[in-house]
Amino acid sequence: MAYNITLIPGDGTGPEIVAEARRCIDATGVRIDWEIAEAGLAVLEKKGTPLPQEVLDSIARNRVALKGPLTTPSGTGYRSVNVQLRHHFELFACVRPCKTMKGLQKGLYPVDLVVIRENTEDLYAGIEFKEGEEATRQLIAVIAEHGKKRIAPDAGISVKPISRTASERIARFAFKYAEDNQRKKVTVVTKANIMKFTDGLFYEEAEKVAREHPSIACEHLLIDNACLHLVSSPHNFDLLLAPNLYGDIISDLCAALVGGLGVAPGANFGDECAIFEAVHGSAPKYKGKNVMNPCAVILSGGLMLDHLGELDAAERLYRAVEAVVEEGRFVTKDLNPHSSVGTREMADRIIYYLQSGK
Ligand code: NAD
């Protein structure tokens, strides 16, 4: 039986990386009927929306998608399609494993940690009040009326909602993930000393769930302190649990610890669907140049195979990527500045290892 899976090629360099990832995943021998669904800038002109209904229908039907990066215009333009997808399918948990591959160790010890980020709330909820608008003026007046701080009349305001329900849900997901994946310690990352009613609440819920899991250690670090320790002693971390914004930032930091964005995979889980995607974006300036590292999307495909229960294929895919990285000859420039190997050639080498079974 073949799996039906939605494939979103994405924007910028997305299509060229996703095509190579698809070849590598197919080379594991797992049979997949890929259903191509175009989203982002690629369809905006054709269909008048960056997220056509048929993309949502395809994901709802297949319940699993592999997605290339999608461009989000800064400042103006449409809202992030990535965020819209996460909200539409209630993909509340973002999971980003960071593991040092042979040949990429930077510090004294290898890193093997996973970042779990709440995906639906916080400053990413998309509740914003534009500077100078009537609603913003009223909000500023209400805040002043309630004896809170004075806000400058020319301020824009972004709202940071963090609920007990969503915090408890992500904490339960994180501790279950820790149990299922032999992780021993959860580090909750917040700024609870400053934002008591949001980050403080997030931490309270995590602590409550932690008490139900006595076999897993739980510690709390403030985000600034966590960044320092992640850089100086990343091997001391096991699983990091964070609200949306901090989770986003620390997962890029952690990606840098294990070789950069080119090798950092990710997954978004909800109760019904899962979408797998790299941590990196669409890097549009490199579009069509065949220079991007395809491994982050390939490894995201490995997480997808794991999710499908194809554990052996996932393991073979991971080992093939690691073999190519360790060999160091057929890797893109981000891993070896002297290399002239491109996206396609790196994927060819991964397929060679997969097929030779080495
Ligand atoms: P980016 O991740 O696209 O690129 C930043 C830099 O990282 C690149 O210039 C490149 O030097 C390096 N890089 C990224 N991926 C690489 C790879 N596979 N191989 C080698 N080097 C790689 O970040 P950005 O420039 O801030 O964002 C570009 C666009 O992507 C923006 O519109 C942003 O909103 C979007 N974005 C999308 C997603 C997503 O779809 N999940 C995630 C992040 C950013």
Side-chain angles (χ1 to χ4, degrees):
M1 192 202 74
Y3 296 97
N4 292 319
I5 289 175
T6 302
L7 187 70
I8 301 175
D11 291 320
T13 50
E16 58 204 86
I17 314 177
V18 167
E20 297 310 323
R22 174 182 172 170
R23 283 205 303 130
C24 293
I25 295 164
D26 286 340
T28 63
V30 174
R31 283 183 51 217
I32 295 176
D33 282 340
W34 298 101
E35 199 171 290
I36 312 289
E38 302 267 10
L41 282 175
V43 283
L44 179 62
E45 273 181 26
K46 274 189 268 172
K47 307 224 163 154
T49 166
L51 185 55
Q53 185 60 38
E54 54 263 33
V55 177
L56 299 174
D57 292 344
S58 172
I59 299 171
R61 205 167 38 243
N62 297 328
R63 299 168 66 144
V64 177
L66 181 66
K67 182 185 139 312
L70 293 165
T71 298
T72 307
S74 288
T76 55
Y78 57 84
R79 275 194 62 214
S80 163
V81 176
N82 302 308
V83 174
Q84 286 186 58
L85 281 172
R86 287 168 205 160
H87 280 217
H88 184 87
F89 291 107
E90 275 285 308
L91 302 172
F92 64 89
C94 177
V95 176
R96 292 175 167 178
C98 291
K99 188 169 179 209
T100 307
M101 283 190 272
K102 287 183 196 138
L104 286 186
Q105 190 169 320
K106 295 257 165 38
L108 281 179
Y109 306 100
V111 174
D112 181 5
L113 58 81
V114 56
V115 178
I116 295 190
R117 155 188 174 197
E118 204 290 323
N119 233 356
T120 61
E121 297 195 324
D122 196 356
L123 285 163
Y124 278 54
I127 311 166
E128 296 209 287
F129 291 83
K130 195 171 178 195
E131 166 255 315
E133 285 189 348
E134 178 54 21
T136 318
R137 199 191 56 70
Q138 286 177 17
L139 183 60
I140 291 172
V142 168
I143 290 168
E145 222 174 275
H146 285 270
K148 303 281 179 185
K149 295 271 170 352
R150 181 190 167 273
I151 297 177
D154 58 352
I157 300 177
S158 299
V159 179
K160 174 182 165 111
I162 291 195
S163 69
R164 285 210 183 274
T165 311
S167 303
E168 182 188 344
R169 177 171 68 172
I170 193 67
R172 290 203 180 286
F173 180 96
F175 278 90
K176 176 160 189 328
Y177 182 98
E179 266 171 10
D180 293 348
N181 293 276
Q182 293 76 49
R183 300 276 171 182
K184 302 268 177 289
K185 182 174 71 171
V186 171
T187 304
V188 186
V189 180
T190 72
K191 192 74 182 169
N193 57 334
I194 305 293
M195 281 160 280
K196 299 180 197 301
F197 300 153
T198 48
D199 287 12
L201 181 152
F202 185 90
Y203 176 56
E204 268 172 38
E205 289 303 313
E207 220 189 4
K208 192 178 81 190
V209 174
R211 285 197 289 273
E212 298 167 17
H213 298 266
S215 62
I216 296 164
C218 180
E219 66 176 9
H220 178 219
L221 286 184
L222 298 177
I223 176 70
D224 38 353
N225 193 18
C227 288
L228 181 133
H229 286 287
L230 274 169
V231 173
S232 62
S233 45
H235 53 280
N236 287 336
F237 290 89
D238 197 0
L239 188 157
L240 291 114
L241 167 62
N244 213 337
L245 178 65
Y246 312 138
D248 193 13
I249 296 167
I250 55 178
S251 40
D252 271 35
L253 189 160
C254 292
L257 297 171
V258 296
L261 287 173
V263 292
N268 302 286
F269 294 102
D271 290 331
E272 302 294 328
C273 296
I275 298 183
F276 297 83
E277 62 178 338
V279 173
H280 66 69
S282 57
K285 67 179 171 191
Y286 298 113
K287 182 178 175 178
K289 296 200 161 84
N290 190 41
V291 294
M292 298 301 275
N293 188 334
C295 289
V297 181
I298 296 171
L299 293 169
S300 304
L303 298 178
M304 183 187 81
L305 291 173
D306 258 336
H307 175 70
L308 295 172
E310 297 287 349
L311 306 187
D312 173 63
E315 179 60 24
R316 283 187 287 115
L317 186 59
Y318 180 79
R319 273 195 273 115
V321 170
E322 188 168 47
V324 173
V325 168
E326 188 181 11
E327 182 189 39
R329 287 196 301 141
F330 295 88
V331 296
T332 42
K333 254 196 174 34
D334 56 315
L335 297 187
N336 175 359
H338 307 294
S339 170
S340 55
V341 166
T343 312
R344 204 169 311 116
E345 296 70 33
M346 189 170 184
D348 282 342
R349 192 66 176 168
I350 292 167
I351 292 169
Y352 162 79
Y353 273 100
L354 270 169
Q355 290 175 341
S356 67
K358 280 188 188 167

